[in-house]
Every structure is written in C-alpha cells, then in structure tokens.
Amino acid sequence: MKRDRIAEIAELIDKRGKLTLKQLESHFPNVSQMTLRRDMFQLEKEGKIIRVRGGAMSVHEVQKTSGEPYVKKTTIHTDEKIVIAQKAAGLIDEGSSLFIDGGTTALYLAKEMPDRYCNVFTNGLAVATELAKKKNVVVNLLGGQLIKENLSTASSFSSLYFTDTNFELAIISAAAFTPESGFSCSSQIEAELLRVICKKAKFLYMMLDSSKIGRIKPHTFAQVSDINVLITDNEFPDALKDEFKKMDIVVL
C-alpha cells in the first residue's frame, strides 16, 4: 500500500511537473500531511523528485533545461539550499536591479523569489528559465561559453557587457570556501565573470551552504573581505560565523 502510494505520488508529480503539499493532501484525503512529507523525503532520496518550498517538482522538469550533473547537484543538500534561498529571497526589494549566478542554490532562489517587479541579470540558463515563469521579473541572460557543469554562461567580454549596465546587488554562490583561499569555483572563465560582478556590485551577498566549507576549487573569485552579507544554513560553524562578524559582515 505504501509503495503504491509513493509510486502514485511520483507519477503525479512527474505528470504535472510540480505539486504543492496542499494539492497532494487533496488527492490523498485519508493520508496525513506528515506521511506525505515522509513519502516526498523517500522520493527525493531515490532521486525521483526535488523538494521545493511547499511541495515538490519533477526531476524531469529540471532536466528540460539542465544536464544530468546539474540535476544531481540540485538534489544534494536540498534542505540547506532551500533555507538559504528563502533567506536570500527576503532580501530582494521590489524595483531592484541585481545579478544572480547560475548555481543550483541560485535556482532555488529563483523559485523562492516573489513575482514582483525587479531587473535580474543572470548567467544561469536554468535560473533564467525559472525566472521567466514570473510575470513581473525582467530577465537579462548573459551570453558566452556554456559551462556544462553548472548550465551557466561566461565570456571574456563580460567586463564590456557590464560597462553601461547597472545593478546594485549581486547574490552569488561558491562551490568551495576556506578562509585562506576564499570563495572558489571550477571554471576559470566563470571566475573571471564573478570577479567582474564582485567589483560592479555595490552590495555583495554570498550564498554558502555548510557543505562547501573546507573545500578548494582551482579558481578563487572573491575573498571574505569582498562580501557584505553571508547567507548560510544552521549547520554553519559558529566559530566561523564569528570570524565573519568581526569583519562587519552580516551573517544570516
């Protein structure tokens, strides 16, 4: 019975692309919300769905705009990414102009952002596609070389593109962080773009889940002193949070 229900939930989410918990409760009136949540946890563990705020979406829905490596990363540390995305979404004011990167945490941010007017620049294909679903968000997608690992773009001409383009806020993420090496990523051309973004933005918000601590990728694009706000999850070490705060960085 349980497996039949879980299979039916997976089929429903796969068919519709996305379902809220309330919609699932309506479909299964005799099943408690807690049980449905456990079912979704199980399906996510099996790699069949991606949990989002208030429900879940089909992995196939993400695969329409992304490759297998990106989908796999989207399903890792989901709880932490959702928490971070919710915090970041609450910091975006109506009418603002901002840059959002193409990482998987940024994809969750795109899902969590309210549908109100703002101007978003992004180098993320999946992020742009998600934002395009929102009526009031103006989306500007950067061109350039496709970085398949993150389904993002970057170009050596990024600095020229942003010469006459204005945004005050940049919300970006890092693939790795250590206090000594700073925030780093795997792609040199992406690192070059992010360095341009860090210089261009008046305020720089860094989204970093605790699993990235202690890792080092080949290319550093920012140091702790470059950021204004650190947005992280509940597992982030308190001692490290204190180090950020000593540098007058807001930690959320």
Side-chain angles (χ1 to χ4, degrees):
M1 177 71 86
K2 176 183 177 181
R3 286 308 310 179
D4 290 343
R5 184 183 64 252
I6 291 177
E8 187 175 353
I9 291 173
E11 185 178 349
L12 280 169
I13 295 174
D14 197 39
K15 188 178 294 183
R16 298 189 191 180
K18 183 177 180 179
L19 275 180
T20 65
L21 184 57
K22 287 185 178 180
Q23 288 172 323
L24 281 175
E25 287 181 281
S26 297
H27 192 84
F28 299 95
N30 298 320
V31 181
S32 71
Q33 184 183 104
M34 185 61 69
T35 297
L36 291 173
R37 286 182 184 276
R38 283 198 295 265
D39 290 345
M40 286 195 292
F41 270 109
Q42 181 61 37
L43 285 169
E44 184 178 53
K45 187 177 179 180
E46 295 173 5
K48 295 179 179 177
I49 67 167
I50 298 171
R51 286 187 303 115
V52 295
R53 185 179 184 183
M57 67 183 296
S58 168
V59 168
H60 294 147
E61 187 72 14
V62 179
Q63 284 176 328
K64 290 177 183 178
T65 55
S66 60
E68 192 64 34
Y70 191 85
V71 172
K72 186 175 180 179
K73 287 197 294 182
T74 306
T75 62
I76 297 173
H77 303 293
T78 306
D79 289 338
E80 293 89 340
K81 290 175 182 178
I82 291 175
V83 167
I84 292 169
Q86 290 172 352
K87 291 178 182 178
L91 301 174
I92 300 173
D93 295 327
E94 184 170 5
S96 61
S97 183
L98 66 150
F99 177 89
I100 299 175
D101 74 321
T104 54
T105 305
L107 177 59
Y108 282 103
L109 171 57
K111 296 176 187 299
E112 296 291 338
M113 280 179 58
D115 188 1
R116 58 191 182 199
Y117 174 70
C118 61
N119 211 307
V120 178
F121 296 88
T122 184
N123 66 324
L125 303 186
V127 171
T129 301
E130 184 64 34
L131 290 174
K133 299 175 184 177
K134 302 180 189 294
K135 181 180 178 181
N136 298 301
V137 177
V138 179
V139 183
N140 305 272
L141 180 62
L142 278 66
Q145 177 183 322
L146 177 65
I147 303 167
K148 294 181 180 180
E149 180 185 357
N150 283 332
L151 275 181
S152 59
T153 60
S155 168
S156 56
F157 298 104
S158 297
S159 57
L160 295 177
Y161 177 88
F162 285 113
T163 299
D164 298 315
T165 302
N166 300 308
F167 56 87
E168 277 199 329
L169 172 64
I171 306 178
I172 61 177
S173 53
F177 170 76
T178 67
E180 299 77 22
S181 299
F183 304 97
S184 58
C185 63
S186 299
S187 166
Q188 181 178 3
I189 194 168
E190 183 179 23
E192 290 174 1
L193 167 64
L194 292 174
R195 290 187 199 113
V196 171
I197 298 302
C198 292
K199 291 179 181 178
K200 182 75 176 182
K202 186 175 180 181
F203 301 103
L204 181 61
Y205 296 179
M206 182 66 68
M207 299 186 294
L208 186 75
D209 72 71
S210 52
S211 70
K212 305 299 193 304
I213 301 171
R215 297 184 180 184
I216 300 176
K217 293 296 183 178
H219 305 285
T220 295
F221 62 86
Q223 298 292 339
V224 173
S225 57
D226 295 320
I227 73 172
N228 302 104
V229 177
L230 174 70
I231 309 170
T232 188
D233 57 75
N234 297 329
E235 300 302 316
F236 201 90
D238 289 335
L240 195 51
K241 285 183 182 179
D242 291 338
E243 292 302 313
F244 278 85
K245 291 176 182 178
K246 286 178 183 177
M247 300 180 69
D248 293 325
I249 295 168
V250 176
V251 179
L252 300 176

